[in-house]
Amino acid sequence: MKIYDVLILGAGASGLMCASQLDKKVSVAIVDANDKVAKKLKISGGGKCNITNAEVSENNFDGDEELVEYALSVFSRDDLLEFLHNNGVEPVLRKDRYYFCQNSSDEIINILKAKTRDCEILLNRDVLALAKVKNIFELKTSKGTLRAKTVVVATGGRSYQTLGASEIGLSVAKSFNIKVKEFTPALVGMTLQKDQFWMKELSGLSCNVQITVNDKILEEDLLFAHKGISGPAVLSASLYWQKGNISVNFLPEFNILELINASKKLVSSVIPLPKRLSHAILKALQVEDKECTKLSKEAINNLKNIHNYSFAPAGNFGFTKAEVSRGGVLSEELNRYTLEALDIENLYFIGEVVDVTGELGGYNFQWAFSSGVVCANALMAKYEN
Ligand SMILES: Cc1cc2nc3c(=O)[nH]c(=O)nc-3n(C[C@H](O)[C@H](O)[C@H](O)COP(=O)(O)OP(=O)(O)OC[C@H]3O[C@@H](n4cnc5c(N)ncnc54)[C@H](O)[C@@H]3O)c2cc1C
């Protein structure tokens, strides 16, 4: 039976990027349960895929800072943009920070497909289990056993099972006694406790806010939703929230005291937010909507909390809605510079299956691509020696 040099589990962003960097002389097979490669990449960012961000550093990730810093130094945002440029793709910058494909995620998928032309791509195959017999890995799949000298686990996280997501990466790691942190939903909307049910009544409205969670401050849009709160600011905040309070500043670009100062208008009229939202916030802050000059000291104190509306979310919308999974293979189990398991020679973990999760805004693809390149470089260094 054929023994591949490298078997990559998962034909998603990280697996394909890793394969694309390997020399043709290395025999590579990529196994995926789906009938097509890169299904998440395809639908991401509304079909245009938010590839990376104008500002990328280890601070945009929840995970081992040194590991992320190293991966970003090997394959940075600029390296990614150059890789795309060299292959005829020029992403566009939206809102001055998010890089998206111009027309469709296919722009990047087609590059990855072209660059993995020499790999065997084995689709419609579920990965079931991995074992190592002497120095050869044996991969049990739904269509028989495959053998390889090296295995790269790139099976992603658990969210969006409809797109092929599974926990197989964690099962494989555990079967080799590699420690993992169980997956939990992240980049996901938050559900509310009774006291904040007023937000549900604003379903469909959105506004720019600043959310403080632990020591992180995230500024973007908050979307009021039927089930709770969502939108970019909330999704990013969900990455750093487990339980306890978060604080929302509904007017990050203004000072409420300056807005009401000596104004003869109603408070709701000086708040630069949609009327329905201003009224709801005033009610939640227990401030009567009257002429600004007539507000009592107590009312002004309450009103100041428009910059610091603090509450504890009830939970989140779960894996079916989460863009990513927090958790994964612990970084302490991996060689930082190669992503090879410290105790299992020739077994690598890349992408979302590693305990590194980025904020909303292209960071998760950047991590998938950077970690894929780190691993590919390590594999090529081994083969060249
Ligand atoms: C709706 C949505 C939108 C997103 N938008 C963005 C965005 O715009 N920007 C951004 O940076 N990130 C985005 N993300 C996150 C991003 O898609 C992931 O972080 C990224 O794809 C992870 O890459 P990966 O290679 O680790 O895993 P994936 O790309 O998920 O690839 C894993 C592959 O492994 C395969 N697999 C899993 N289990 C098995 C098994 N048992 N047998 C065989 N194959 C298996 C899967 O089919 C899949 O093809 C989005 C995610 C979702 C769900």
Side-chain angles (χ1 to χ4, degrees), residues 9-16 31-34 36-41 43-46 49-52 100 125-128 154-157 159-160 163-169 187 322-324 350-353 359 361-366 368:
L9 317 188
S14 63
L16 290 174
V31 184
D32 203 291
N34 284 334
K36 289 190 179 101
V37 302
K39 277 205 163 171
K40 262 191 196 170
L41 203 51
I43 59 107
S44 66
C49 175
N50 178 196
I51 310 159
T52 188
F100 277 85
R125 258 183 208 247
D126 283 334
V127 168
L128 302 176
T155 47
S159 36
Y160 272 69
L163 297 174
S166 79
E167 300 214 33
I168 190 67
L187 302 194
E323 288 207 359
V324 289
I350 59 174
E352 203 179 311
V353 75
E359 291 170 7
Y363 297 106
N364 286 294
F365 282 133
Q366 179 70 58

Side-chain angles (χ1 to χ4, degrees), residues 108-278:
I108 181 156
I109 296 174
N110 288 339
I111 299 176
L112 294 171
K113 275 188 182 168
K115 292 203 167 282
T116 51
R117 204 182 290 124
D118 296 311
C119 304
E120 266 184 62
I121 303 206
L122 308 170
L123 299 172
N124 297 308
R125 258 183 208 247
D126 283 334
V127 168
L128 302 176
L130 183 72
K132 196 174 185 189
V133 181
K134 296 191 178 145
N135 282 330
I136 299 298
F137 287 99
E138 291 190 354
L139 181 73
K140 203 170 152 206
T141 77
S142 52
K143 290 190 181 165
T145 301
L146 300 164
R147 291 185 170 76
K149 294 178 196 159
T150 296
V151 168
V152 179
V153 182
T155 47
R158 197 186 132 183
S159 36
Y160 272 69
Q161 280 170 332
T162 46
L163 297 174
S166 79
E167 300 214 33
I168 190 67
L170 298 196
S171 309
V172 165
K174 286 185 216 167
S175 70
F176 284 93
N177 287 326
I178 294 171
K179 288 196 213 97
V180 305
K181 194 198 280 178
E182 294 303 328
F183 286 138
T184 50
L187 302 194
V188 63
M190 293 174 167
T191 54
L192 302 166
Q193 312 220 37
K194 254 196 183 142
D195 282 354
Q196 280 72 45
F197 276 8
W198 61 272
M199 294 190 186
K200 293 189 186 189
E201 279 151 37
L202 300 168
S203 180
L205 276 182
S206 70
C207 64
N208 181 55
V209 299
Q210 220 173 46
I211 300 185
T212 305
V213 48
N214 302 323
D215 55 348
K216 287 277 175 182
I217 300 176
L218 305 142
E219 186 166 341
E220 243 292 5
D221 284 355
L222 177 152
L223 173 70
F224 296 95
H226 186 59
K227 283 172 77 179
I229 47 170
S230 187
V234 175
L235 299 200
S236 282
S238 74
L239 182 58
Y240 302 108
W241 180 81
Q242 255 124 16
K243 53 183 180 180
N245 279 24
I246 64 171
S247 159
V248 180
N249 178 353
F250 285 104
L251 292 177
E253 286 161 28
F254 300 90
N255 180 331
I256 190 66
L257 296 181
E258 284 171 13
L259 291 173
I260 60 170
N261 187 28
S263 174
K264 292 210 177 302
K265 290 185 183 163
L266 288 178
V267 188
S268 62
S269 305
V270 300
I271 296 177
L273 289 173
K275 272 271 154 17
R276 203 150 66 90
L277 177 52
S278 304

Side-chain angles (χ1 to χ4, degrees), residues 2-8 19 22-30 116 118-121 147-152 379-380 383:
K2 180 167 184 176
I3 298 179
Y4 294 98
D5 289 325
V6 180
L7 200 47
I8 299 180
L22 299 175
D23 196 286
K24 280 184 192 156
K25 64 184 183 229
V26 180
S27 65
V28 182
I30 312 176
T116 51
D118 296 311
C119 304
E120 266 184 62
I121 303 206
R147 291 185 170 76
K149 294 178 196 159
T150 296
V151 168
V152 179
L379 295 180
M380 288 318 301
Y383 280 90

Side-chain angles (χ1 to χ4, degrees), residues 46-81:
K48 292 189 177 179
C49 175
N50 178 196
I51 310 159
T52 188
N53 199 287
E55 300 280 337
V56 182
S57 85
E58 59 282 7
N59 298 327
N60 301 110
F61 296 83
D62 182 42
D64 183 328
E65 279 192 13
E66 276 182 52
L67 181 104
V68 177
E69 192 181 5
Y70 178 71
L72 293 177
S73 74
V74 170
F75 193 69
S76 64
R77 183 236 13 229
D78 288 346
D79 295 327
L80 175 58
L81 294 176

Side-chain angles (χ1 to χ4, degrees), residues 273-326:
L273 289 173
K275 272 271 154 17
R276 203 150 66 90
L277 177 52
S278 304
H279 284 134
I281 293 175
L282 289 179
K283 206 167 160 197
L285 297 178
Q286 296 176 329
V287 176
E288 198 186 331
D289 190 18
K290 54 161 81 159
E291 193 182 302
C292 297
T293 50
K294 296 196 172 144
L295 288 172
S296 66
K297 259 194 181 161
E298 191 193 350
I300 291 173
N301 269 338
N302 289 348
L303 187 57
K304 281 196 225 158
N305 285 330
I306 200 164
H307 293 297
N308 179 22
Y309 182 71
S310 181
F311 65 98
N316 63 53
F317 295 178
F319 277 116
T320 49
K321 299 275 183 209
E323 288 207 359
V324 289
S325 304
R326 184 171 38 202

